[in-house]
Amino acid sequence: MKLIFEKSVQGRRGFRFPDSDVPVKAKVPQKYARGNDAPLPEVSELDVVRHYTLLSQKNFSVDTHFYPLGSCTMKYNPKFTEALSRLSGFADLHPLLPQLAGGEMLTQGALEVLYELEQWMCEMTGFSHFTLQPLAGAHGELTGIMLMAAYHKAKGNQKKKYVIIPDSAHGTNPASAAIAGYETISIPSNKDGGMDIAKLKSAVNDEVAGLMMTCPSTYGLFESNIDEIAKIIHSVDGIMYYDGANLNALLGRCRPGDLGFDVMHINTHKTFTTPHGGGGPGAGPVGVNDKLAKFLPISRVIKRKDGTFALDYDYPDSIGYIAAFYGNFALLLRAYAYLLMLGKEGLKATADHAVLNANYIMRRLQPYYKLCFDKLCMHEAVFSASIQASRGVHAIDIAKFLIDRGIHPPTVYFPISVPEAVMIEPTETESKQTMDAFIDEMIAADALSKLDPGAFKDLPKTMPISRPDEVKAARDVKTSYAF
Amino acid sequence: MNPYITNTDAEVRQMLDIAGVPSIDGLFADIKPKHRPKSFDLPEGLSEYEVVRKVTGLSLKNNVHLVPFLGGGFYDHYIPSAVGMLTSRGEFYTAYTPYQPECAQGTLQSLFEYQSSMCALTGMDVSNASLYDGGTALYEAMMMAMGVTGRSKIIMDGGVSPIYRKILKTYTHHLHYQFEETPVVHGQSSRPEIEKLLDRNTAAVILQNPNFFGAIDDLTDIIEKAHSVGALAIVSVYPVSLGLLKTPGAMGADIVTGEGQSLGLPLNFGGPYLGFMTVRGKYMRKMPGRIVGETVDTQGRRCFVNTLQAREQHIRREKATSNICTNVSLCALQAAIFMSMIGRQGLKEMAQLNLDKAEYAKQEIAKIKGVEVKRSSPTFNEFTICLPKDASDVVGAMIKKGFAAGFPLGRYYKGMEKYLLVAVTEKRTKAEIDAYVKALEETL
């Protein structure tokens, strides 16, 4: 399909501004003025609408396709939360308004949303305080590690320089720790997919600042040795960091704050159905226990005795500002509305059915694909396509087969510790019929891998494009239209 | 009470049988009793109508009816209806990150178009596919400059947003970087102050145009000075101003960042916004965040993919250029559609309207006795005025008259308690500006 720039016709326009009604025609002094016009497209409104509507139709999305992407929790995004996020009383609210004299009283509704959401998150996760400011999960991780660093600094723990991270972790974990100034130590998992306690013990010393863990892990398994892990880390005054990527599996069944964790982040686009948006925006609220509370970023939302809400900046030990304002408000608002609707029982049912669906798929596919850990899984199941790979059909080929059949593939090649990994997470919102159709296609892929492994190389055939040449993209780099 | 779960009781039974567990509780056998929640004291769920009623009620507790002259980097611009309509298509907003390009060409091509428009706007070679917001984009630029140069000293001009300044300090204060700030001036950047600090250990000079006080500048000479000691120049810009102002690319900047909220995004009480970053071609491989590139498929057809991924955390882990995973794709799409809608002519007209209205407001405000309009440098759509009394009190009084009168600078700068930062966008009518001036005069 043509680029919007290739549809441009000189002199055409898509929008009309009102004529100026002020008796001033100003001119930017030549020295400060732009030489040439910015070559933006010259198209009509219909051109724009048709172009982007047609582009949208080249996407898979939750609204159109099943997305069993492990660890991404691609659940349905309820429409009423979208509608609420567009209410003028929120969408048109200037973020600096509460910082003006008397301005807090003009933003009471928004502050109440933030305050209440923090309370919900505390109760759901077992932490005493939350900040909603981090703008995405990885931003939450960075914030959490900075809180860890502030804690050690305040305690005079000058030797701290390592953060321990299991090899099954998301890449953001080591990257966040590194950017906050720590070196990372990777611990391989044991044969049951859990933390290797002996290896952990041998890695832990006074220089360990903390540990980052996803629980359930990216293998979809609950860490049964969590008490011991927390004890080992706390014995050197380390901080236990909980990566909330897989929180969906635990709602109402277990709270990270009760397990010995000191800090966590939540990905609202996973557990709380804020839309993925084709890769953001996200939101990554961070919860802490009392140990870390005084270091939380400013501002913080407080409730006054008279029931009104205010922003408070008076926290001398705070790490400071991690973002300009109060978080990605419009997403937090969607999460808030979702929580209000679900309530206690609805949240618990979320985890129940997410885990049921994952176990159902796991057992149905087990005869065909190598299951990494033959035991109950939580919200996701990790397979290896090693059997199919021995026939010349790799995880990526199975992914392309599924795309050809109108199903978004599971996460492949992650966790990186599993060769030919295929990581499946159906979520609670998918029906048995949808899952069965997926299972049928997975079985068909296995059958085809025996029958005609060469057939995969041309897939997908039903999509607007076939497999792209990624090497060319990285070699002859072209990242914008040649104006 | 979870309408989004579709399993019927009969299906649950069937699925449990296949899973080989007697009950749903049995699925959680790995969680020992001692690990069960100590408390889970949350309210009961509500119906959609009840939630809508409650949340709509909360929205009405916010005042969005003040006539806004409040900016500070975040502006009340008009958003054409098509922008919101198109970005609210489920195929866009419920899609995942485009890791599988065959079923994500919609997202990928629109991000490529976004990148193209951002390059056009800023006069730079390469754009990434967006970062969280303007503040964190500036932080990423700073980290990138240190990565490129291997140096650890940063000079930040006094005209950079105080909000951004606080953010950058938070991220660096526990790391061993040298962070220098030049004194705050209302007008253009102070050349001598920057030159005094520039040395062979300087990774970058951070500048902003228009600066926080609204002053516009040609930063070419400062950028040349920075280059002469091997430092990079980072410029944070307000994209709408680029309809009229000299581009950072033309000034020689190495990294350009900014807040893209003014390109079709609602104010949203602070987010989500759009952090953008464009760089010189030679620094492309050091850039943080996703980048979409053009290529061909097996049949030679043009298509788009995430490229240069070897920079990113999912490949490089602790050695990545940044920890960023998510960008703000949907916001970038929104900006791409906005820029396509207003187009080449519209961007100029929009910028001109902002300039004209702000100049008119300046002219009228200057007529008020006791009010001084700072005129040490030309401005775009925001400017500083000095009042005969505390600006914060004046703003408080103006709220009662129906105006968000501006941002009192005393909040961030000691000694500037009487200064007010006033923004005037294309949405303000002559009548509103006249009413504002009248109300301000009465308040003083």
Side-chain angles (χ1 to χ4, degrees):
Chain A
M1 189 168 143
K2 278 186 175 176
L3 295 170
I4 189 86
F5 299 95
E6 292 161 346
K7 296 176 179 173
S8 183
V9 175
Q10 198 184 348
R12 184 167 290 162
R13 39 192 320 154
F15 187 72
R16 187 185 150 187
F17 285 98
D19 295 335
S20 178
D21 60 352
V22 293
V24 168
K25 184 79 184 159
K27 198 164 166 23
V28 174
Q30 191 62 37
K31 183 170 158 49
Y32 307 119
R34 184 169 187 126
N36 302 309
D37 292 353
L40 296 179
E42 297 180 85
V43 286
S44 68
E45 175 165 339
L46 176 57
D47 290 335
V48 171
V49 169
R50 201 167 278 162
H51 180 77
Y52 288 101
T53 302
L54 290 172
L55 270 186
S56 79
Q57 291 169 347
K58 293 179 186 289
N59 270 359
F60 279 10
S61 66
V62 175
D63 279 4
T64 51
H65 295 79
F66 179 40
Y67 250 88
L69 264 175
S71 226
C72 298
T73 316
M74 294 295 287
K75 51 167 101 174
Y76 172 66
N77 306 135
K79 301 302 168 195
F80 82 102
T81 65
E82 283 303 302
L84 290 174
S85 74
R86 292 182 170 81
L87 290 173
S88 166
F90 296 119
D92 297 331
L93 199 58
H94 197 292
L96 284 171
L97 197 57
Q99 299 187 27
L100 305 184
E104 270 164 1
M105 293 315 290
L106 309 175
T107 56
Q108 284 295 301
L111 295 177
E112 184 171 340
V113 168
L114 295 174
Y115 183 84
E116 278 214 340
L117 183 58
E118 282 186 19
Q119 303 305 307
W120 276 77
M121 289 194 166
C122 286
E123 182 62 22
M124 260 184 303
T125 58
F127 286 102
S128 57
H129 296 83
F130 255 84
T131 173
L132 302 176
Q133 285 174 45
L135 303 174
H139 198 214
E141 288 180 26
L142 181 55
T143 305
I145 301 292
M146 282 162 51
L147 296 172
M148 185 188 286
Y151 170 82
H152 289 310
K153 194 174 177 191
K155 290 279 301 268
N157 293 340
Q158 289 166 359
K159 289 189 338 199
K160 300 294 187 189
K161 69 195 255 215
Y162 299 107
V163 173
I164 296 179
I165 299 168
D167 62 350
S168 58
H170 296 106
T172 48
N173 286 182
S176 299
I179 274 159
Y182 288 107
E183 292 176 46
T184 58
I185 299 174
S186 178
I187 302 273
S189 309
N190 64 22
K191 65 174 176 23
D192 299 321
M195 178 77 78
D196 188 321
I197 298 292
K199 290 206 174 90
L200 176 67
K201 273 184 178 158
S202 68
V204 168
N205 57 40
D206 284 351
E207 294 184 333
V208 168
L211 170 117
M212 295 180 90
M213 250 181 83
T214 308
C215 183
S217 70
T218 57
Y219 299 130
L221 304 174
F222 187 79
E223 178 55 68
S224 50
N225 291 321
I226 187 63
D227 294 340
E228 196 171 356
I229 295 166
K231 213 169 125 196
I232 294 167
I233 296 299
H234 286 150
S235 74
V236 295
D237 203 17
I239 293 293
M240 289 282 288
Y241 185 100
Y242 179 92
D243 179 326
N246 297 338
L247 183 67
N248 207 45
L250 295 188
L251 295 169
R253 291 282 176 178
C254 176
R255 304 189 310 171
D258 297 338
L259 296 178
F261 287 98
D262 302 300
V263 51
M264 77 173 291
H265 81 265
I266 287 174
N267 304 85
T268 61
H269 56 281
K270 295 182 181 181
T271 310
F272 302 120
T273 71
T274 63
H276 280 71
V286 166
V288 294
N289 58 20
D290 291 336
K291 212 150 97 176
L292 298 175
K294 66 177 178 178
F295 305 113
L296 283 174
I298 46 175
S299 60
R300 293 176 59 184
V301 184
I302 55 164
K303 188 173 184 175
R304 293 200 196 93
K305 286 208 175 75
D306 65 1
T308 60
F309 301 91
L311 292 170
D312 192 358
Y313 295 82
D314 190 16
Y315 297 91
D317 296 310
S318 165
I319 57 169
Y321 284 57
I322 56 139
F325 298 111
Y326 328 108
N328 275 340
F329 181 81
L331 298 170
L332 299 167
L333 176 64
R334 288 175 177 90
Y336 174 69
Y338 174 73
L339 290 174
L340 283 178
M341 177 183 266
L342 260 56
K344 180 182 181 164
E345 290 307 314
L347 283 169
K348 191 164 165 294
T350 295
D352 289 356
H353 290 263
V355 173
L356 174 65
N357 288 355
N359 277 280
Y360 171 69
I361 290 183
M362 178 179 79
R363 292 305 177 197
R364 290 275 327 267
L365 288 180
Q366 192 177 6
Y368 308 92
Y369 290 86
K370 184 179 170 236
L371 182 60
C372 290
F373 304 100
D374 187 8
K375 56 185 194 179
L376 282 175
C377 69
M378 299 292 288
H379 62 299
E380 65 193 1
V382 181
F383 290 91
S384 164
S386 55
I387 304 168
Q388 291 73 21
S390 70
R391 300 172 193 143
V393 175
H394 295 271
I396 190 71
D397 299 315
I398 293 164
K400 302 306 181 191
F401 175 91
L402 289 170
I403 292 172
D404 195 62
R405 304 297 177 98
I407 294 172
H408 195 284
T411 300
V412 288
Y413 301 107
F414 184 84
I416 51 178
S417 40
V418 175
E420 299 288 338
V422 177
M423 186 191 198
I424 302 168
E425 178 179 6
T427 84
E428 74 281 4
T429 61
E430 295 295 339
S431 69
K432 182 171 176 296
Q433 291 69 33
T434 301
M435 290 189 287
D436 285 342
F438 163 70
I439 290 163
D440 288 346
E441 294 298 354
M442 285 293 284
I443 294 171
D446 172 61
L448 188 62
S449 77
K450 290 181 206 160
L451 205 67
D452 184 8
F456 286 83
K457 295 300 167 201
D458 295 334
L459 299 179
K461 288 179 174 168
T462 56
M463 299 304 295
I465 62 161
S466 58
R467 291 194 204 194
D469 185 345
E470 310 226 8
V471 175
K472 178 181 159 56
R475 194 187 52 219
D476 311 327
V477 182
K478 188 174 177 201
T479 62
S480 68
Y481 173 65
F483 292 101
Chain B
M1 260 317 215
N2 183 333
Y4 308 114
I5 289 168
T6 58
N7 294 330
T8 64
D9 291 346
E11 287 170 335
V12 168
R13 197 63 265 149
Q14 269 178 298
M15 288 160 69
L16 283 171
D17 285 347
I18 286 172
V21 264
S23 66
I24 287 201
D25 283 344
L27 293 166
F28 293 87
D30 286 346
I31 302 176
K32 295 171 192 150
K34 64 174 173 178
H35 292 147
R36 306 259 162 83
K38 293 205 175 104
S39 146
F40 200 65
D41 186 17
L42 294 166
E44 297 297 317
L46 300 172
S47 66
E48 177 172 328
Y49 172 60
E50 289 165 309
V51 179
V52 168
R53 193 170 55 186
K54 179 179 164 76
V55 175
T56 305
L58 287 171
S59 82
L60 297 172
K61 288 189 183 177
N62 300 322
N63 186 330
V64 289
H65 303 296
L66 297 174
V67 183
F69 289 82
L70 179 60
F74 311 91
Y75 301 96
D76 174 44
H77 291 297
Y78 186 75
I79 304 171
S81 303
V83 175
M85 295 276 194
L86 290 166
T87 45
S88 44
R89 288 188 67 90
E91 297 95 323
F92 279 132
Y93 84 80
T94 74
Y96 189 63
T97 305
Y99 288 130
Q100 297 289 348
E102 296 89 343
C103 57
Q105 284 299 300
T107 294
L108 287 162
Q109 182 171 328
S110 56
L111 288 175
F112 184 85
E113 293 176 354
Y114 159 80
Q115 291 174 180
S116 305
S117 288
M118 291 317 298
C119 288
L121 209 58
T122 57
M124 301 292 283
D125 305 323
V126 181
S127 167
N128 70 10
S130 71
L131 297 165
Y132 307 140
D133 70 354
T136 55
L138 194 60
Y139 154 71
E140 293 286 349
M142 176 184 75
M143 297 298 278
M144 177 181 159
M146 290 194 280
V148 167
T149 59
R151 300 176 179 182
S152 59
K153 177 175 165 183
I154 294 291
I155 301 170
M156 184 183 270
D157 183 67
V160 175
S161 161
I163 302 172
Y164 291 0
R165 182 190 300 242
K166 281 175 185 284
I167 294 171
L168 265 56
K169 278 189 170 169
T170 300
Y171 289 113
T172 48
H173 94 276
H174 68 287
L175 303 173
H176 303 291
Y177 303 140
Q178 193 186 344
F179 198 82
E180 303 284 351
E181 298 174 80
T182 65
V184 170
V185 284
H186 285 287
Q188 296 174 336
S189 303
S190 164
R191 272 67 179 168
E193 296 288 348
I194 293 173
E195 279 169 38
K196 243 181 3 201
L197 293 166
L198 264 175
D199 59 21
R200 295 254 157 216
N201 190 34
T202 306
V205 180
I206 302 180
L207 303 156
Q208 181 174 322
N209 191 44
N211 73 14
F212 187 69
F213 308 98
I216 61 175
D217 204 343
D218 176 9
L219 303 166
T220 310
D221 58 327
I222 305 178
I223 293 171
E224 279 169 4
K225 285 266 162 45
H227 287 165
S228 72
V229 296
L232 303 193
I234 299 170
V235 181
S236 175
V237 288
Y238 168 26
V240 168
S241 74
L242 293 173
L244 291 177
L245 299 188
K246 185 168 180 177
T247 66
M251 297 178 194
D254 300 289
I255 309 174
V256 178
T257 67
E259 175 50 68
Q261 176 268 326
S262 58
L263 300 173
L265 276 69
L267 285 162
N268 273 337
F269 200 53
Y273 286 162
L274 167 68
F276 62 84
M277 178 185 279
T278 57
V279 302
R280 299 230 161 272
K282 63 180 168 182
Y283 300 129
M284 171 172 76
R285 284 167 206 275
K286 295 279 186 188
M287 185 157 57
R290 296 213 169 85
I291 302 174
V292 173
E294 184 182 312
T295 186
V296 292
D297 71 0
T298 54
Q299 303 183 36
R301 291 175 292 198
R302 177 173 66 186
C303 60
F304 304 93
V305 293
N306 284 324
T307 195
L308 303 177
Q309 296 189 72
R311 303 164 295 112
E312 294 186 59
Q313 50 74 28
H314 64 281
I315 311 282
R316 288 295 295 282
R317 300 177 79 81
E318 67 275 8
K319 294 190 178 62
T321 53
S322 157
N323 73 325
I324 279 194
C325 174
T326 294
N327 52 327
V328 292
S329 277
L330 198 71
C331 304
L333 171 71
Q334 213 156 342
I337 296 172
F338 179 84
M339 287 186 277
S340 299
M341 277 290 291
I342 65 167
R344 184 178 199 137
Q345 278 303 320
L347 180 72
K348 273 197 298 188
E349 287 170 12
M350 182 180 178
Q352 186 67 49
L353 280 169
N354 275 265
L355 178 70
D356 290 346
K357 302 223 171 184
E359 288 301 317
Y360 174 69
K362 255 188 191 174
Q363 175 191 305
E364 296 303 303
I365 290 170
K367 292 177 185 164
I368 306 173
K369 207 170 155 238
V371 177
E372 184 201 352
V373 175
K374 300 301 261 185
R375 291 185 187 275
S376 48
S377 340
T379 58
F380 175 59
N381 75 343
E382 198 161 20
F383 53 91
T384 311
I385 61 176
C386 185
L387 302 172
K389 40 174 142 164
D390 187 286
S392 182
D393 295 344
V394 172
V395 168
M398 289 287 281
I399 285 174
K400 297 197 181 84
K401 295 174 188 269
F403 295 94
F407 192 70
L409 292 172
R411 179 168 161 72
Y412 288 111
Y413 302 100
K414 263 211 167 63
M416 287 198 203
E417 286 71 19
K418 292 182 174 173
Y419 288 88
L420 185 66
L421 186 64
V422 180
V424 189
T425 70
E426 80 285 351
K427 279 175 75 176
R428 298 288 71 79
T429 62
K430 178 173 180 295
E432 284 172 336
I433 297 168
D434 291 342
Y436 171 84
V437 173
K438 186 161 174 274
L440 186 61
E441 192 167 17
E442 286 166 6
T443 304
L444 296 173

